[in-house]
Amino acid sequence: MEITNVTEYEAIAKEKLPKMVYDYYASGAEDQWTLKENRNAFARILFRPRILIDVSKIDMTTTVLGFKISMPIMVAPTAMQKMAHPEGEYATARAASAAGTIMTLSSWATSSVEEVASTGPGIRFFQLYVYKNRKVVEQLVRRAEKAGFKAIALTVDTPRLGRRESDIKNRFTLPPNLTLKNFEGLDLGKMDEANDSGLASYVAGQIDRTLSWKDVQWLQTITKMPILVKGVLTGEDARIAVQAGAAGIIVSNHGARQLDYVPATISALEEVVKATQGRIPVFLDGGVRRGTDVFKALALGASGIFVSIILFPFTRYSCLKSLIVLITCPLNFRLEDQWYSHWLLKERLESERCFKCYAMSLS
C-alpha cells in the first residue's frame, strides 16, 4: 500500500497495534469533541491565492530560540513510544536530526534523556511534568541540561489527567517490559494496575497539583535552559506567561486529551499571538496533518508548529523520515503557491466564521 498522506497511517496503526496501545495514542478526553474540532477548525480556514509571483526559490528554514532548523515543523513530545515499536524514541531522535529539526522528548519516555542523547547530534527539547517531589524535578532538569537538551517545554495543563474513557475501559497501564526510563531507579518508573486507568492513578499520586505561575520562575533558578509554557489557550494566560519570564508559548490542548470542549488550538492561536505582542514566539500543536495546516498556523502568527508522530505504527527511522517528508512537501507547495517568503496577512469575513490567509510581496 502506497502512503500518500499522513492520515492514511492511522488505519495501519489501528490494524498493527494492540487495542490498548492504539486507543491510548488515538483517543481524546470524554466526548472527544475537541479531538474532532482540532481537525475541523483547520478545514474552516480558506486560502485566497495570489498569482504570477516568482516562486523559483523557496527557503523553509527558520530559527527557533536561536537554533536554525530546516523547516517550521518540529516533533512534539509523546510518551511511551516503545509501545509502538522497539526503537521508540531512538528512531524519533534520529529521524528528527536527519530532517534538520527539533525533537521534544517526553518526561514519560521509554528512553532516558541520556539514551536519546547517545543517538547522535541533534537539537532537542525536554518536556517536563512537575512532580510533588521537587528534588526529582531538579534532578531530571539537570540531567536533561547535562545531556545537551536546549530548552524545557513545561506542561501546565495536567494538574490531573483528563478523563480518557478508552483508557478506563482498557484498564490502561504501561506494558510490563517497559518503564518510564527517566524515573528508573527512583521507584517512579513503573505504573501499577488500577481499576480504571493506571496512568490516571500514577498522575494522581505523583504530579503536583499546586503548580502555579511562581513555579515558572522557580524553574528559571535551577536551569539556564529557556522555558516554553505548553498548554496556553487564552490571551490572559499568554500575558502572564510573558510576565513570568517564559521564553515562548506552545498553544496546546494536549491533543484534546485533557479538558474536552476547549477550543481547537488553531482557533485559540490568534488570541494568544495578539496578547504576546511579539515579545516571545508562539508555537502550536494539535490537529496538524498536512503542510497546508502548517501554512495556516504560520499565517495566523505561529513561529512554528509541533507534530506528534507516534500515532503511526512504524517508528523506525526510515518511516519517520518519510512521514516528515509527507508533511513538508505540501507545505513547500503552499509556500510557492502563496508566496509566504515576505508577508502573510489575514482578513476575517464577517459572514463566515473563518479566516482567509493572504500572502503579498513587498514590491
Side-chain angles (χ1 to χ4, degrees):
M1 176 181 177
E2 182 181 0
I3 301 297
T4 58
N5 64 70
V6 167
T7 303
E8 291 174 357
Y9 275 97
E10 188 168 352
I12 301 175
K14 192 170 186 178
E15 176 187 335
K16 298 281 186 181
L17 294 175
K19 184 177 187 303
M20 181 190 76
V21 173
Y22 175 82
D23 286 351
Y24 169 75
Y25 291 137
S27 64
E30 297 188 344
D31 296 325
Q32 302 187 110
W33 182 88
T34 297
L35 183 66
K36 294 186 280 284
E37 180 66 4
N38 269 354
R39 286 298 306 140
N40 293 340
F42 273 106
R44 294 194 294 270
I45 301 172
L46 307 178
F47 294 115
R48 184 175 180 269
R50 300 295 302 274
I51 59 172
L52 295 177
I53 298 172
D54 183 353
V55 293
S56 59
K57 295 179 181 179
I58 296 294
D59 181 8
M60 290 199 298
T61 61
T62 190
T63 300
V64 172
L65 300 184
F67 300 101
K68 188 173 183 179
I69 57 177
S70 64
M71 64 189 113
I73 304 170
M74 298 161 282
V75 178
T78 305
M80 306 177 237
Q81 294 184 19
K82 286 187 178 179
M83 292 196 303
H85 190 278
E87 291 188 31
E89 294 88 359
Y90 290 92
T92 304
R94 291 196 297 269
S97 179
T101 193
I102 293 165
M103 172 199 178
T104 312
L105 182 70
S106 170
S107 283
W108 295 338
T110 41
S111 306
S112 69
V113 290
E114 293 85 3
E115 289 171 334
V116 168
S118 75
T119 63
I123 306 167
R124 296 174 186 124
F125 295 171
F126 182 71
Q127 176 272 329
L128 179 68
Y129 288 111
V130 175
Y131 279 55
K132 294 175 182 177
N133 186 339
R134 293 304 178 92
K135 290 183 179 179
V136 169
V137 178
E138 289 185 38
Q139 181 187 35
L140 188 54
V141 168
R142 291 187 173 121
R143 282 172 55 197
E145 192 164 15
K146 184 178 180 181
F149 285 71
K150 303 302 183 184
I152 294 291
L154 174 65
T155 294
V156 296
D157 59 7
T158 314
R160 61 182 297 164
L161 203 69
R163 184 174 172 80
R164 305 172 189 178
E165 294 177 2
S166 292
D167 288 352
I168 294 171
K169 291 175 181 177
N170 293 329
R171 302 292 189 264
F172 175 83
T173 190
L174 189 63
N177 62 311
L178 298 174
T179 62
L180 304 179
K181 275 286 192 173
N182 286 314
F183 301 97
E184 208 172 43
L186 298 170
D187 291 328
L188 297 171
K190 282 291 186 180
M191 200 176 293
D192 296 330
E193 293 184 2
N195 292 328
D196 47 19
S197 162
L199 181 58
S201 297
Y202 181 87
V203 170
Q206 301 300 334
I207 299 303
D208 191 349
R209 295 188 188 182
T210 72
L211 188 69
S212 67
W213 287 108
K214 70 178 185 298
D215 294 305
V216 176
Q217 297 168 322
W218 168 73
L219 278 173
Q220 293 171 55
T221 69
I222 65 170
T223 182
K224 295 179 181 178
M225 289 185 287
I227 296 166
L228 301 174
V229 178
K230 180 179 181 291
V232 174
L233 290 171
T234 67
E236 293 91 335
D237 281 341
R239 284 187 284 271
I240 298 173
V242 172
Q243 294 166 3
I249 286 170
I250 303 176
V251 176
S252 173
N253 55 32
H254 212 112
R257 296 154 68 79
Q258 277 302 106
L259 181 62
D260 203 12
Y261 296 99
V262 297
T265 52
I266 193 67
S267 300
L269 176 62
E270 189 184 31
E271 177 184 332
V272 173
V273 169
K274 283 183 176 179
T276 62
Q277 298 180 330
R279 288 173 288 182
I280 58 176
V282 176
F283 307 97
L284 174 138
D285 79 4
V288 174
R289 295 292 184 274
R290 291 185 179 271
T292 46
D293 298 333
V294 179
F295 181 82
K296 291 171 183 180
L298 297 176
L300 292 174
S303 295
I305 65 98
F306 287 86
V307 291
S308 180
I309 56 182
I310 192 59
L311 177 64
F312 312 105
F314 312 111
T315 54
R316 60 181 181 268
Y317 163 78
S318 59
C319 291
L320 288 184
K321 191 175 180 183
S322 299
L323 178 61
I324 292 170
V325 169
L326 284 176
I327 297 175
T328 305
C329 286
L331 173 61
N332 188 59
F333 172 81
R334 185 54 54 191
L335 294 182
E336 293 179 359
D337 188 38
Q338 301 295 93
W339 205 57
Y340 166 79
S341 307
H342 289 312
W343 289 103
L344 288 164
L345 303 177
K346 57 188 177 298
E347 176 180 289
R348 184 183 297 275
L349 293 179
E350 294 182 0
S351 61
E352 301 176 40
R353 298 184 63 81
C354 71
F355 291 100
K356 288 188 176 181
C357 303
Y358 291 79
M360 300 178 61
S361 84
L362 290 173
S363 58

